[in-house]
Each structure stands twice: as structure tokens, then as C-alpha cells.
Amino acid sequence: MDRHAQARRPLRAFALILCPLSAGCAPHVEWASTPELRSQRWQQQEVAAPAPGPALPAPRAGLSESLRSPELSALIARALAANADIAIAATRIERARAELGIAKADMLPVVSASAGLNSTRTDDKAASTFSFSEGFAGVDISYDVDLFGAARAGKRAARERLRASVYDRNAAALVVEAEVARAYVQHSALTDRIALLDRNIANGRELERIINVRLREGAATRVETGLQAIDVRQLEADRLRLVGALARTRNALAVLVGEEAPLFRLPPSSLDSVATPDVAPVQPAELLVRRPDIQAAEARIAAASGDIQQARRAFLPSLRLSASALGQAATLSGPIGATLSIGAGLLAPIFDRGRLNGRLYSATAAQHESVELYRKALLNALAEGEDALASVEESRSRQALIDRIVEEARVTARLARLQYLEGEADLRDVLDADRLLVQAEDARALSVQERINAAIDLYEAIGGSAQTSAMARRAAP
């Protein structure tokens, strides 16, 4: 036991004598216990077929490095530096740090100084207009001895709130990183789908020209030209819809990177420039130390527990030491009289039970709420992990299936067009084959986007990369 603790022991014993004279010792309250994580492995890993080859480790680098896109890396860096949500979270850190400073100041002595001059006015022209007849100066020092640790409990609660605010900022940064990646992938997919439509529109117009030539030669009918014209106009309408979606995606990226949409420029991109990462999941228990939202919820439980301790100790007496010194002089050139006083006051609450009980019950309810918020964050994290794993498996199987459909549709469309030009097939067969090819190629672009998004979802669900997770833990106070 240190020297200060030994000095407080007799004071604390004396203060406990006054406890029955106060509003009564704190009533008993029930603390909510933090739920334990019982999941040992992911359910999706049990039902899914094992992937060939060795298991992949959890990502150690950031998301942009996993996707291997320099343009995306630059966008994520801009977003982390200028995103409004991250900036808002950073201001909350500053506010929590200021509140911690206030809590620390409550444990320090309070020093105040005073000084003054008394003067009288005279009408004597031979004398000075103002005559200073008295001067004084004083210093007061007071210190609240934290007998039962109420101030220390308040400081611990403030420190935990600061930790929670830091984790909140990390959680916001993780969400922004994933959202920028999803928006960029969507922008790339839309660019590819528009290019695909442009190519199909050009092929459709060429076929429309051929049909018109055959119509003039009597080898085609007006119905055939009308069907092909309708098909081309439908493709052009689909292109306009995708162009509008591309503009909205670009505007969403502008908001994410903290720039004004009218001034934001984004060059065309392609899904070919984005790699499809294979992200292996971590064990469910690792989410407790990797996900910043869970860490923030845990820190808030600790802060609420500190509030309960502070509220309980408010029922007990407090000891306040004070010292003051005062110097006075009848005239500025006269002798100075000094007064020094030292005192100690032991204060105990007597008629304040209602307010003290209210604070204790309020702090207890806040602690219960923090535990439920932690449980909610934990359940959401586990559900997001299962959803992401299911999406990864589904998108991988879907992309492999659509790749086979595209190859078959290309062969069918080429054969149908050759047979039509040779007079061995009907135009409707050509249109059906071309329509199926357009749908298959568009579905493949969407499947690639879905597979990359599934990897992004899994990256976000496991709390980011191992490197960023470790840096976030070190940054927390």
C-alpha cells in the first residue's frame, strides 16, 4: 500500500462513522453482465464445400491493396482525409478528450487569487483627485480529498468514453472505406455495361441496315425491319438508364470523398482493373478485438460502470482541505498585515437522498442499456459475417455458371446470324439469340460486381485488415 493510501485510511474510517447520518448508504442495484460469445465457428463454413487449395489468411493490407486498383487507392485516401462522417466522429473525440480533462481537473487543487484597491475621491485641488487608502491581495487553495474514489471513478468513465469515441471514428473509417470501394466497383461495372450496350447497339444497327437492304430486294418483310428497330430502340433506352445510374454513382462517390458533386471528376474505369480478392474469414471470437463497433460498445460498458461507481460513492462523505492567505495595507506605503488560515471540512449528504438515488438509478439504467447495445452490436456482427460468407460462396458459383452461359450464348448468336444471312433461319431466331447474349453478358458483368462486393462485405464484416485493426487498437487511449 502506498503512502497516500495509508494516510487516507484513518480519514476514511472517520468518514464511515458519518455514513448513517447522511442520506443513507447507496441502495443495492443490479449490474448487467456482458454477454459471452458462444459461437466457435461460422455456420456457413459447415454447409459450404471447402475451397480447393490452402486456406487463405485474413487480409493484412488495406482494401485498396487487396483490390489492386491505384485509382481506388487514391479515392480511399481522399475519403479518409475529407469524409464528413469521419470528420464528425473526430470532433466527438475532441469533445470526449475535453471531458476527460475536466474529470482530471476535478482531482487537482483549486487555486484562486484576489486583489483590489479602495480609493476615495476628493475636491481638494491641492491633492490628487483619487486617494488610494487601502489595498489587499489574497490566495485561496482548496483540495477535495478523494476518500472513496468518486473522482477517480469519474475519470475512468471519461477515459472509457474517449476510447469509445476513438473506436467510433475507426468504425466510421471502415464503413467509408468499404462504401468507396463498392461505389467504385459499381461505377466500373456500369462503365462496362454501357460499353457492352454500345457494342450491341452497333451490331443491332448493322443488322437493321442489312434487313433494310434485304427488304428493298424483296428478301425481307416490313415486320422484320420493325422487330429489329424495336430491339435497337430498347437497347438505347437501357443505355440511357445506365448512364443515369452512372451519374448518380459518381455523385455518391463525390459525397464519400468530401467533394462537391459539380466539381468532382472521375475517369472511366473497368472491372478488368479491379482484382477479385479472396478473403478468408477469421474465427467469430476474433471479432471482439477486430471490429471497432464492438470495441466501442465494450468501452461504453466500462464507462457506464464508472458512472455507477461514482454515483454510489456520492452517498459517502467527502473531505475538503482549504488554505487561504490574505495581505492588507491601510495605505500603499504603510505596513502590510497578513492573515493565514488552514482548515478541513468533512461534508456528508443528509437531506439529498432523492437526487442521489435518481443519479444512481439513472447510471444503472445506462449501464444496462450499454450492455444491450453491446449485445446488439455482437449479434449484428455475427449475422453480417454469415451473410458475407454466404454471398462469397453464392457469387463464386453464380459467376462460374454465367461464364458458361455467355460462351454458349455467343456461339448461338453467331450461328443464328450466319443461318439468317444464308436464308436458313428466321429473323426471330436471330433476335432471340442476340437478346439472350446481351442478357448473359450483362449478367456476367453484374456477377463480377457481386463477387467483388461480397469480398468487400466480408472484409468489412471481419473488421478490416489485420494491419488497420492493430493500428486502431494502438491509437485508442
Side-chain angles (χ1 to χ4, degrees):
M1 185 178 296
D2 59 21
R3 184 174 54 192
H4 297 286
Q6 292 177 352
R8 282 196 296 265
R9 287 181 61 184
L11 295 173
R12 185 175 300 172
F14 178 68
L16 287 174
I17 299 176
L18 295 181
C19 185
L21 300 177
S22 66
C25 292
H28 177 72
V29 292
E30 294 290 341
W31 294 43
S33 58
T34 305
E36 296 183 358
L37 178 65
R38 295 184 291 116
S39 300
Q40 299 297 324
R41 56 180 290 124
W42 301 103
Q43 182 179 155
Q44 188 63 32
Q45 290 178 312
E46 299 175 359
V47 300
L56 295 168
R60 297 199 57 83
L63 185 58
S64 57
E65 289 81 358
S66 300
L67 296 175
R68 300 173 187 174
S69 171
E71 181 69 27
L72 177 58
S73 299
L75 286 173
I76 290 178
R78 290 161 63 183
L80 294 178
N83 180 266
D85 290 332
I86 298 177
I88 292 171
T91 61
R92 290 171 181 162
I93 293 176
E94 296 304 318
R95 185 173 63 184
R97 183 173 286 113
E99 291 175 353
L100 176 59
I102 295 173
K104 289 180 178 179
D106 290 339
M107 304 180 64
L108 299 175
V110 177
V111 181
S112 59
S114 60
L117 291 173
N118 292 331
S119 63
T120 58
R121 180 183 174 90
T122 179
D123 293 331
D124 188 357
K125 296 182 179 180
S128 176
T129 304
F130 290 93
S131 176
F132 296 98
S133 58
E134 183 182 0
F136 67 92
V139 176
D140 293 322
I141 302 175
S142 61
Y143 175 61
D144 192 347
V145 179
D146 194 21
L147 284 178
F148 299 99
R152 292 193 298 274
K155 186 178 73 170
R156 285 195 299 270
R159 181 179 290 112
E160 292 299 329
R161 287 191 179 89
L162 175 58
R163 291 182 63 245
S165 64
V166 172
Y167 286 130
D168 284 339
R169 182 197 55 188
N170 296 338
L174 178 61
V175 171
V176 167
E177 182 183 11
E179 288 298 325
V180 170
R182 290 191 193 95
Y184 183 80
V185 170
Q186 179 171 318
H187 185 272
S188 301
L190 288 170
T191 302
D192 287 349
R193 294 172 66 190
I194 291 174
L196 173 64
L197 281 176
D198 288 340
R199 188 176 73 245
N200 289 323
I201 289 173
N203 293 337
R205 288 173 178 170
E206 177 62 19
L207 181 58
E208 185 179 11
R209 185 190 65 80
I210 294 174
I211 295 174
N212 286 327
V213 172
R214 291 170 60 89
L215 177 65
R216 289 193 296 270
E217 296 175 352
T221 65
R222 180 67 182 79
V223 173
E224 292 177 338
T225 59
L227 290 175
Q228 180 61 19
I230 292 172
D231 191 66
V232 173
R233 301 296 91 76
Q234 182 63 46
L235 292 177
E236 292 173 347
D238 291 341
R239 187 186 188 281
L240 291 175
R241 176 176 55 83
L242 294 184
V243 169
L246 183 68
R248 290 189 294 273
T249 303
R250 184 178 62 250
N251 296 336
L253 268 171
V255 175
L256 287 170
V257 301
E259 296 187 13
E260 298 178 4
L263 302 178
F264 181 71
R265 298 292 182 269
L266 185 64
S269 56
S270 173
L271 286 176
D272 294 336
S273 63
V274 181
T276 303
D278 289 319
V279 180
V282 298
Q283 295 303 321
E286 292 190 44
L287 298 182
L288 301 180
V289 295
R290 292 178 62 95
R291 295 230 353 176
D293 56 340
I294 295 179
Q295 293 171 316
E298 185 179 10
R300 287 192 171 89
I301 293 177
S305 301
D307 290 337
I308 293 179
Q309 293 173 352
Q310 188 178 31
R312 286 180 61 88
R313 290 162 188 175
F315 283 81
L316 301 174
S318 60
L319 178 63
R320 191 173 188 84
L321 305 179
S322 62
S324 61
L326 179 64
Q328 292 179 304
T331 62
L332 295 181
S333 60
I336 298 177
T339 303
L340 177 64
S341 63
I342 300 175
L346 190 62
L347 305 177
I350 296 178
F351 300 110
D352 204 15
R353 186 179 182 86
R355 182 175 62 87
L356 295 176
N357 284 346
R359 287 183 177 178
L360 179 57
Y361 292 140
S362 176
T364 304
Q367 195 267 344
H368 292 179
E369 180 187 12
S370 65
V371 171
E372 291 303 320
L373 290 174
Y374 175 86
R375 187 170 72 94
K376 179 181 178 181
L378 182 60
L379 294 177
N380 287 338
L382 294 173
E384 290 171 4
E386 289 287 357
D387 290 344
L389 286 172
S391 297
V392 168
E393 294 298 329
E394 179 184 355
S395 62
R396 183 186 292 115
S397 302
R398 174 180 167 83
Q399 183 179 359
L401 180 61
I402 291 180
D403 285 342
R404 294 196 296 269
I405 294 175
V406 169
E407 293 302 322
E408 187 66 28
R410 284 178 177 173
V411 173
T412 303
R414 185 175 66 253
L415 292 176
R417 181 165 297 199
L418 290 176
Q419 290 175 0
Y420 173 75
L421 295 178
E422 294 173 359
E424 299 177 359
D426 189 73
L427 177 63
R428 190 173 298 277
D429 295 333
V430 178
L431 296 180
D432 290 341
D434 285 346
R435 188 176 298 109
L436 289 176
L437 177 59
V438 171
Q439 294 174 354
E441 290 180 331
D442 189 70
R444 185 173 67 172
L446 287 174
S447 69
V448 174
Q449 177 186 357
E450 290 172 356
R451 186 173 178 185
I452 298 176
N453 283 339
I456 296 172
D457 293 342
L458 183 57
Y459 175 89
E460 184 179 7
I462 64 176
S465 66
Q467 180 181 1
T468 55
S469 179
M471 292 175 60
R473 288 195 299 271
R474 288 194 299 268

